[in-house]
Amino acid sequence: MAQIHLAPPAMPAGKRIAVMTSGGDSPGMSGAVRAVVRLTLASGGISYAVYEGYQGLVDGGDMIKEMRWEDVRGWLSAGGTLIGTARCMAFMERAGRLTAANNMIEKGIDALIICGGDGSLTGADKFRAEWPSLMDELVSTGRRKKHEVEHHRHLNIVGLVGSIDNDLSGTDATIGCYSSLERICQSIDCIDATAFSHKRAFVIEVMGRHCGWLALMAGVSCGADFIFCPENPPSDNWQEDMCSIIKKHREMGKRKTIVVVAEGAHDRQLNAISPNMVKDLLSKKDGLALDTRVTTLGHVQRGGSPCAYDRMLATLQGVEAVKAVLDSTPDTPSPVICMVENKIVRKPLVDAIAKTKEVAANIARKDFDAALKGRDAEFEEYLEAFNITTATDKSGMLLAPEKRMRVGIIHVGAPAGGMNAATRAAVAYCLTRGHTPVGLYNGFPGLCRHHDDKPLGSVRILDWLEAETWASRGGSEIGTNRDLPGEDMETTAYCFEKYEIDALFVVGGFEAFTAVSQLRKAREKYDSMKIPMVVLPATISNNVPGTEYSIGSDTCLNALINYCDAIKQSANASRRRVFVVETQGGASGYIATIAGLAIGALAVYTPEEGINLNMIVEDIKFLKDSFAKDKGHSGTGKIILRNEKASKVYTTELIANIIRDEANGRFDARHAIPGHVQQGGIPSPMDRVRAVRFGVKSMQHLEKFAGKSKQEIADDPMSASVIGIRGARVKFSSMEKIEREETDWKDRRPKEEFWMSLIDVVDTLSGRPKECRTPMPGSPAVSPELKINGAQRANGASE
């Protein structure tokens, strides 16, 4: 992602930047406005908010309001947009745009950041293209003097995409899409229980006129039997295909049926497919006759507080938008801020909108291959994963017998949301391809101590019907354990040989990483270890080397921000109160830092920087100053996040007590420890879908070694690897190289942590002075060159 420096970027004196939201609302829009306003102010500029979208731009006056720091307090957790959005017919005409331009000149504004959908951003770019001629017309008609427009000859436009449909080409995620997906998955999870109880079928209609992202991701997340997406219509014989799959699933023992239909679903002849059509088919089809109900989720998908990811995305994209304004020249194309895997990039706005509209045009032309390619590569991968994991006709997918393997599947370390979804995907893939999925229950201790227990040992072939129900379950259904194979490598090797394990799929955190490291090194002594192995990082701490994202970390963040939102509500109600909240994360401050971004924490304390007395003293000064300025304001509660291992001396309770004592009654301080709440609960949709994607890709990676000799496998550095996201790519990395070059074994984390500079963003947007961050002796200083999510800013497709 783009670089974030220690200090906010320098801004020309008096630079005025306006922000507005337009089009359909989406969760996270208000967080984006907050980021734009505060970074503009922190950089020395003047910030404005345009209320009611383009209508406010045309109306002018009080609809274009100068924003102060405290005006956006509490906006991160708000759903929708707090500055409003409205349709504006006047802006569609040149006369309306001329009035809007005049209103902007009245306020001295020459930069506009717009958060909206493709229609809103199209209007914005047209506004920029006309801007010079609008200036000329204002002068020629006498509405403005020449000197008044002289310094406003160039209009800067930067786009942020706020859309629950996730329908902009060139970005993996738009602000609000994961919050909407979370609402859908919560609803389907509830419906799922009723469907199972009564052996019913449910047809769920979700939003998405030209984009099937919500339908696809809901299907992957919730283990749907069939989905309908506009970009990838079913075959001309879809009625028979769907009924065949559902009938087969029922024959295999499945009690429930879920079909997800995008509101814009159609067949390959563009005939609409409605939920009621699907319902009638399932209810009346010979051999099925299922008790079928339809649920249309409607606008509930748009509502509610944004999830952790959308808060982070909105904040970081808002920050990048301000930086894009400052970098802009008259020759710079208007950019739109996008997300590619784990990397923020700027892309030309016109190109992104053109490609988005081309998808709809290709659908209208029935060129569905082109429409699918218009979406990002991630979309196609998820579609492939869904088709593989729901396939019932496996005849065309089965490998030759000599290429089939017995794949051991084991969980290692603490439980993390998404472990079960990854295992379900791996089992379904194995069965589709002819492999045998072998569950190694309760980790390596279970394997070594209980593999031959009677009547049921810890080594069991995994059954499709059992694993099929695991998509939305938290924890670990096959059990997990922190103990490592090195504690009894001889028995581990014996079990691998006895049960003919040909490949190993390890799901877990730093212990899983360490376990595969030990198994790789044991190849010198044990031939049974000369098998392909892959680690799928799954830990709330997100501290596994070789990846910037671990399954389970998003679930943890959602649990933590919900907890902190409730705590902050208490702090706000009590007015002058500070909560010091302890987060998990081991020796990695990732969770504390990202949660700090998502809740608007006053400060975060991490193990990487440590805590010293000077930090606490300076933060108390900052608190006293903040509360002094907060007189009469609402939402005055504060939160400080402290990682559980940030200091051995300055505990969470001690810091709260020091703050309370030093406040001398001017404000109060309490401490709160959510503990293992952060590990449990239902996995988030992001963790579910990424678990499926990574699970399938891991199986495909292991499959490449089928038929190779043990020595060929041992000699290949990629035969022991980690799957992960690095910048803009998902890639496999050699264990041996990561162990040697990238691992901090002492503190159980990567040597270089991509998120470290995000602490600067937390501080900048909370107003925390830099004096509060005096590092402890020997702790790593935060370099100005550290990057958000480990990647340089990219313009267009360039790295």
Side-chain angles (χ1 to χ4, degrees):
M1 288 186 182
Q3 294 177 341
I4 294 296
H5 300 276
L6 272 171
M11 187 173 289
K15 181 74 172 179
R16 298 175 179 230
I17 300 176
V19 59
M20 62 180 279
T21 53
S22 181
D25 66 293
S26 64
M29 278 183 162
S30 295
V33 173
R34 170 186 178 270
V36 170
V37 168
R38 289 202 167 175
L39 189 64
T40 299
L41 296 175
S43 303
I46 300 171
S47 182
Y48 288 85
V50 180
Y51 282 72
E52 309 303 339
Y54 285 114
Q55 189 64 53
L57 211 56
V58 173
D59 292 344
D62 292 340
M63 301 300 282
I64 305 177
K65 176 186 173 185
E66 184 176 346
M67 301 295 282
R68 297 178 301 276
W69 190 272
E70 61 271 13
D71 290 338
V72 292
R73 179 181 290 139
W75 285 29
L76 266 171
S77 60
T81 167
L82 292 176
I83 60 174
T85 179
R87 291 186 178 276
C88 180
M89 299 304 293
F91 192 80
M92 297 176 71
E93 304 295 331
R94 181 178 171 87
R97 294 191 290 275
L98 185 68
T99 301
N102 186 55
N103 290 331
M104 289 178 66
I105 298 301
E106 181 75 28
K107 302 284 187 179
I109 297 166
D110 58 10
L112 185 61
I113 296 172
I114 301 174
C115 184
D118 60 348
S120 301
L121 298 182
T122 300
D125 197 69
K126 184 173 184 178
F127 193 35
R128 170 183 163 153
E130 285 184 344
W131 186 263
S133 66
L134 293 173
M135 295 299 98
D136 292 338
E137 188 171 343
L138 286 175
V139 173
S140 65
T141 57
R143 296 174 73 175
R144 287 287 158 197
K145 302 293 185 183
K146 187 174 181 179
H147 69 88
E148 291 180 300
V149 303
E150 198 60 39
H151 298 293
H152 300 283
R153 281 285 173 185
H154 170 58
L155 174 64
N156 286 339
I157 292 284
V158 178
L160 300 174
V161 191
S163 166
I164 67 166
D165 291 340
N166 197 16
D167 54 357
L168 185 83
S169 295
T171 186
D172 291 345
T174 56
I175 295 169
C177 69
Y178 274 102
S179 299
S180 178
L181 181 60
E182 185 173 271
R183 228 74 70 217
I184 292 168
C185 290
Q186 287 170 346
S187 300
I188 294 179
D189 289 344
C190 293
I191 289 167
D192 202 72
T194 293
F196 183 90
S197 300
H198 296 273
K199 298 182 72 173
R200 282 181 183 153
F202 274 86
V203 183
I204 316 293
E205 185 181 43
V206 301
M207 286 184 171
R209 283 176 296 171
H210 301 297
C211 183
W213 187 87
L214 286 173
L216 172 59
M217 295 304 185
V220 172
S221 299
C222 300
D225 297 82
F226 206 83
I227 58 173
F228 291 91
C229 295
E231 302 92 333
N232 187 56
S235 68
D236 291 333
N237 195 34
W238 66 266
Q239 295 92 337
E240 291 298 324
D241 290 344
M242 179 185 72
C243 290
S244 173
I245 288 172
I246 291 171
K247 184 177 181 181
K248 180 66 174 177
H249 286 171
R250 290 284 179 157
E251 289 171 352
M252 294 168 74
K254 195 172 181 182
R255 288 179 57 89
K256 59 185 175 62
T257 298
I258 300 291
V259 177
V260 181
V261 183
E263 62 181 336
H266 50 75
D267 62 20
R268 301 192 78 81
Q269 304 309 315
L270 303 182
N271 298 307
I273 297 175
S274 71
N276 282 321
M277 289 171 60
V278 178
K279 171 186 177 290
D280 292 343
L281 191 62
L282 297 180
S283 300
K284 299 172 184 177
K285 178 72 175 176
D286 291 342
L288 275 178
L290 299 176
D291 181 3
T292 307
R293 308 295 169 90
V294 171
T295 298
T296 299
L297 298 180
H299 281 74
V300 71
Q301 297 161 82
R302 274 193 186 170
S305 181
C307 66
Y309 182 83
D310 278 328
R311 298 187 193 193
M312 179 188 74
L313 184 67
T315 298
L316 297 184
Q317 290 194 339
V319 166
E320 180 66 8
V322 175
K323 293 174 70 64
V325 166
L326 300 182
D327 291 342
S328 178
T329 70
D331 298 325
T332 306
S334 295
V336 62
I337 312 301
C338 299
M339 173 70 87
V340 179
E341 298 296 357
N342 209 31
K343 178 179 178 182
I344 284 184
V345 298
R346 300 178 194 171
K347 295 189 176 183
L349 177 60
V350 176
D351 292 352
I353 292 171
K355 289 176 182 176
T356 300
K357 291 184 174 179
E358 187 66 18
V359 172
N362 283 326
I363 291 173
R365 288 193 291 266
K366 304 180 187 178
D367 189 350
F368 303 115
D369 288 339
L372 201 55
K373 285 181 170 54
R375 300 298 179 205
D376 53 84
E378 187 183 60
F379 191 98
E380 288 194 74
E381 283 189 23
Y382 281 120
L383 187 59
E384 179 190 15
F386 178 82
N387 290 334
I388 288 172
T389 54
T390 56
T392 52
D393 180 8
K394 303 178 176 63
S395 56
M397 300 185 189
L398 291 171
L399 293 172
E402 64 274 13
K403 294 282 190 179
R404 299 176 191 175
M405 302 185 293
R406 285 173 61 86
V407 180
I409 301 174
I410 190 168
H411 294 176
V412 183
M419 280 182 156
N420 292 320
T423 303
R424 171 186 171 272
V427 170
Y429 184 88
C430 284
L431 296 174
T432 299
R433 300 287 278 170
H435 305 304
T436 302
V438 182
L440 309 179
Y441 280 70
N442 302 317
F444 286 103
L447 173 68
C448 294
R449 299 172 195 164
H450 306 290
H451 64 93
D452 56 357
D453 282 3
K454 304 298 179 186
L456 196 62
S458 62
V459 180
R460 309 175 209 164
I461 294 176
L462 291 168
D463 174 70
W464 176 87
L465 183 61
E466 182 183 16
E468 173 59 24
T469 64
W470 293 353
S472 59
R473 292 192 189 177
S476 168
E477 290 295 313
I478 66 171
T480 186
N481 198 295
R482 292 181 183 272
D483 292 354
L484 300 171
E487 296 178 24
D488 191 354
M489 191 64 77
E490 187 171 344
T491 304
T492 301
Y494 164 76
C495 289
F496 278 20
E497 185 173 2
K498 177 179 179 179
Y499 296 103
E500 299 177 319
I501 303 301
D502 300 316
L504 189 65
F505 179 46
V506 185
V507 184
F510 200 89
E511 290 88 355
F513 177 83
T514 306
V516 172
S517 174
Q518 292 181 353
L519 294 173
R520 183 189 66 79
K521 293 172 182 176
R523 287 171 170 175
E524 295 180 5
K525 186 175 181 181
Y526 302 103
D527 273 1
S528 61
M529 302 297 184
K530 294 177 180 178
I531 59 175
M533 311 172 192
V534 65
V535 179
L536 194 165
T539 168
I540 68 165
S541 303
N542 198 23
N543 63 335
V544 178
T547 185
E548 295 173 7
Y549 179 88
S550 296
I551 302 300
S553 59
D554 187 64
T555 301
C556 171
L557 285 167
N558 279 316
L560 187 56
I561 67 165
N562 289 336
Y563 182 91
C564 288
D565 282 352
I567 290 289
K568 201 162 190 177
Q569 186 180 64
S570 171
N572 289 341
S574 305
R575 287 296 189 266
R576 310 173 71 75
R577 178 170 289 172
V578 182
F579 271 96
V580 183
V581 179
E582 182 175 299
T583 76
Q584 291 189 338
S588 171
Y590 172 84
I591 290 297
T593 302
I594 303 303
L597 271 181
I599 66 166
L602 180 129
V604 294
Y605 296 148
T606 67
E608 288 81 1
E609 291 189 330
I611 307 173
N612 60 35
L613 188 56
N614 182 67
M615 285 184 179
I616 298 174
V617 170
E618 292 297 329
D619 278 331
I620 290 172
K621 289 180 183 176
F622 178 41
L623 282 166
K624 288 179 178 179
D625 184 58
S626 297
F627 280 117
K629 293 177 180 176
D630 281 345
K631 290 178 180 178
H633 291 291
S634 61
T636 56
K638 318 288 184 187
I639 288 186
I640 293 173
L641 295 180
R642 175 195 174 273
N643 168 278
E644 60 187 345
K645 292 190 176 181
S647 172
K648 292 181 180 178
V649 175
Y650 297 106
T651 64
T652 304
E653 184 175 4
L654 178 60
I655 292 171
N657 288 340
I658 292 172
I659 293 172
R660 185 189 307 116
D661 192 58
E662 290 295 320
N664 294 321
R666 281 175 284 185
F667 51 90
D668 189 19
R670 304 288 176 88
H671 76 284
I673 303 176
H676 283 72
V677 165
Q678 298 161 81
Q679 286 185 8
I682 296 173
S684 72
M686 175 176 283
D687 278 333
R688 296 191 213 179
V689 297
R690 287 190 170 175
V692 171
R693 183 187 182 198
F694 292 173
V696 169
K697 288 178 79 73
S698 295
M699 291 299 105
Q700 291 170 336
H701 180 74
L702 293 174
E703 209 171 61
K704 294 176 182 177
F705 296 90
K708 291 188 177 182
S709 70
K710 287 189 174 293
Q711 197 55 49
E712 284 178 312
I713 292 171
D715 290 341
D716 190 332
M718 294 304 294
S719 66
S721 59
V722 180
I723 184 174
I725 292 178
R726 291 191 164 202
R729 291 195 298 160
V730 174
K731 64 178 291 185
F732 290 89
S733 302
S734 163
M735 277 291 303
E736 188 276 331
K737 183 176 184 295
I738 297 174
E739 294 168 32
R740 174 169 36 86
E741 299 178 5
E742 301 181 27
T743 305
D744 178 349
W745 289 100
K746 175 180 173 292
D747 287 321
R748 294 162 49 88
R749 64 193 185 202
K751 286 182 179 177
E752 293 187 11
E753 296 179 290
F754 70 92
W755 50 267
M756 277 288 289
S757 61
L758 295 184
I759 300 174
D760 302 331
V761 185
V762 176
D763 287 353
T764 298
L765 298 185
S766 73
R768 187 186 185 205
K770 62 181 180 180
E771 290 80 12
C772 299
R773 295 249 321 272
T774 304
M776 294 177 67
S779 68
V782 182
S783 163
E785 294 307 311
L786 281 173
K787 316 156 190 105
I788 297 178
N789 286 16
Q792 300 278 350
R793 174 186 300 127
N795 292 298
S798 62
E799 289 290 318

